[in-house]
């Protein structure tokens, strides 16, 4: 019977979110025989510096072999992957795998996903859960299959979302929770020699319950639409904070419109007659933007090319106070 020191694991991931689970495996004494991550990205002003992924940096510190294929069906990569003789593959925040990869190890390949599947399948589950005002989210481990994020579920852990949370704080909590769940999942597979009763996702969907997607977020996705209730706008802002950040246009009299990111806000329910996007401010301490049923008080903002500022500091530094945003 295999144990944590003899089970051969190949781990696949790229960003900081994936490092926590890899670290939990290494520090737990599990045998990680290889890591697969994205190729180094060009960085620097001229793109002439190659930046390794956080997962690669950690793997190198631990002396774990690193594979960085451009194409996951490349025969050289597949041969190298086979040579690692993995019993199990684990994926966290990586990319869609072809069947030839996820079907390779005898115990299969499981993925860590930052939502309570089948809700929020897709690339940005943390952001969309907060944007949609969810009170709860979680992490899921599931076996990979052909369709993205649809495989049989192994285990889930739940996490409440507080009104004070933003996407950044929820991400960090799920990162820690996910690392614990990955270790629990490996232990479960070891205890049962890989034979476990994973749950089909369709059995977890109650009749009439809408499945909410979590598609990739682009720049235009992040633009604030002010013709909505104030809470909807505030949830949108915190769901994109700190990255990639919600944005609007700062429109001041006598000046060209400027893109402005918004990182923190406060919902102020209040009856008013202003058009959505109109600005109410004393020019010194507060900056409110009209929504359909109240105001959104902007607490932390950043004009293009400038640093992030709290509202009071921001207002003290601008030449023209906006009369509207759009």
């Amino acid at each position: 019977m295999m144990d944590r020191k003899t089970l051969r694991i190949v781990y696949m991931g790229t960003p900081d979110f994936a490092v926590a689970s890899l670290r939990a495996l290494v520090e737990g004494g599990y045998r990680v025989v290889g890591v697969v991550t994205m190729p180094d990205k060009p960085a620097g002003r001229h793109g002439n510096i190659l930046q390794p992924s956080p997962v690669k940096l950690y793997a190198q510190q631990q002396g774990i072999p690193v594979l960085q294929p451009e194409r996951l069906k490349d025969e050289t990569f597949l041969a190298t992957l086979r040579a690692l003789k993995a019993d199990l593959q684990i994926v966290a925040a990586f990319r869609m795998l072809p069947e030839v990869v996820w079907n390779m190890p005898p115990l299969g390949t499981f993925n860590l996903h930052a939502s309570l599947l089948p809700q929020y399948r897709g690339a940005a589950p943390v952001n969309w859960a907060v944007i949609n005002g969810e009170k709860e989210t979680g992490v899921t481990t599931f076996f990979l299959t052909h369709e993205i994020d649809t495989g049989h579920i192994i285990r889930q852990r739940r996490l409440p979302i507080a009104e004070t949370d933003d996407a950044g704080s929820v991400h960090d909590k799920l990162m820690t929770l996910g690392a614990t769940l990955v270790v629990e999942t490996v232990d479960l597979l070891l205890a049962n020699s890989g034979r476990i009763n994973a749950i089909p996702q369709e059995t977890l969907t109650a009749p009439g319950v809408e499945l909410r997607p979590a598609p990739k977020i682009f720049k235009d996705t992040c633009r604030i639409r002010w013709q909505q209730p104030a809470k909807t706008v505030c949830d949108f802002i915190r769901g994109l904070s700190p990255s990639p950040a919600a944005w609007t246009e700062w429109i001041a009299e006598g000046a060209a419109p400027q893109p402005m990111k918004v990182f923190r806000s406060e919902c102020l329910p209040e009856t008013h007659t202003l058009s959505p996007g109109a600005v109410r401010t004393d020019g010194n301490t507060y900056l409110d933007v009209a929504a359909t049923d109240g105001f959104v008080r902007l607490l932390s903002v950043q004009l293009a090319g400038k640093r992030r500022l709290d509202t009071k500091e921001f207002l003290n530094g601008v030449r023209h106070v906006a009369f509207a945003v759009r």
Side-chain angles (χ1 to χ4, degrees):
M1 180 177 175
M2 287 184 291
D3 60 23
R4 64 178 57 182
K5 293 184 178 180
T6 58
L7 176 75
R8 297 176 66 85
I9 297 172
V10 166
Y11 187 87
M12 303 182 182
T14 295
D16 287 322
F17 185 88
V19 175
S21 295
L22 177 57
R23 181 183 292 112
L25 291 167
V26 171
E27 294 180 355
Y30 298 85
R31 190 178 182 187
V32 181
V33 297
V35 159
V36 182
T37 190
M38 293 289 285
D40 296 355
K41 282 188 173 182
R45 186 174 180 182
H46 302 290
N48 55 354
I49 300 172
L50 291 178
Q51 179 66 46
S53 74
V55 163
K56 178 181 178 178
L57 290 173
Y58 180 78
Q60 288 179 324
Q61 292 168 8
Q62 303 302 316
I64 303 171
V66 176
L67 305 180
Q68 296 179 274
E70 292 282 352
R71 296 186 305 109
L72 293 174
K73 292 184 179 180
D74 178 79
E75 287 301 328
T76 301
F77 163 68
L78 292 175
T80 306
L81 186 61
R82 287 190 191 97
L84 292 173
K85 298 180 180 178
D87 300 302
L88 174 69
Q89 292 177 158
I90 301 171
V91 182
F94 191 47
R95 53 205 269 201
M96 190 171 180
L97 302 181
E99 183 175 2
V100 66
V101 173
W102 58 256
N103 204 27
M104 191 177 292
L107 296 184
T109 301
F110 77 79
N111 187 89
L112 172 69
H113 188 73
S115 82
L116 294 172
L117 291 173
Q119 292 290 356
Y120 295 105
R121 294 169 176 157
V126 177
N127 299 100
W128 286 107
V130 181
I131 287 170
N132 289 333
E134 300 286 2
K135 302 298 183 185
E136 183 182 56
T137 186
V139 284
T140 301
T141 51
F142 67 96
F143 286 115
L144 288 187
T145 187
H146 291 94
E147 299 297 326
I148 189 167
D149 297 337
T150 60
H152 285 23
I153 289 172
I154 307 170
R155 286 288 185 271
Q156 291 186 325
R157 291 290 178 269
R158 297 178 177 273
L159 177 78
I161 301 177
E163 289 290 336
T164 53
D165 277 324
D166 60 17
S169 62
V170 173
H171 169 280
D172 292 349
K173 293 173 187 177
L174 291 179
M175 180 172 64
T176 301
L177 188 62
T180 300
L181 184 60
V182 163
V183 171
E184 288 178 5
T185 301
V186 175
D187 286 345
L188 180 67
L189 290 168
L190 279 172
N192 294 275
S193 301
R195 294 185 293 271
I196 61 172
N197 293 320
I199 303 168
Q201 290 192 30
E202 54 267 25
T203 66
L204 299 178
T205 307
V209 173
E210 176 190 3
L211 290 184
R212 290 183 160 181
K216 187 175 181 179
I217 290 173
F218 299 94
K219 181 178 179 181
D220 190 59
T221 314
C222 301
R223 183 163 192 158
I224 301 170
R225 274 70 179 179
W226 295 102
Q227 292 182 326
Q228 301 181 92
K231 185 181 186 307
T232 300
V233 176
C234 287
D235 286 341
F236 183 79
I237 290 167
R238 67 192 185 101
L240 294 168
S241 180
S243 178
W247 65 277
T248 188
E249 282 191 321
W250 175 261
I251 306 169
E253 190 171 2
Q258 299 182 67
M260 181 174 71
K261 292 181 177 180
V262 183
F263 298 96
R264 289 194 305 116
S265 64
E266 180 183 358
C267 182
L268 303 176
E270 183 179 331
T271 301
H272 65 79
T273 58
L274 297 178
S275 299
V279 167
R280 179 181 71 176
T281 179
D282 63 356
N284 184 36
T285 60
Y286 67 85
L287 178 59
D288 300 342
V289 181
T292 57
D293 64 347
F295 290 90
V296 176
R297 177 156 291 180
L298 308 188
L299 303 176
S300 178
V301 299
Q302 181 181 22
L303 287 178
K306 306 293 183 180
R307 64 187 179 93
R308 176 176 170 176
L309 299 170
D310 290 338
T311 296
K312 185 175 180 180
E313 189 178 8
F314 170 77
L315 287 172
N316 288 339
V318 294
R319 293 184 183 179
H320 306 281
V321 174
F323 60 86
V325 296
R326 67 179 181 192

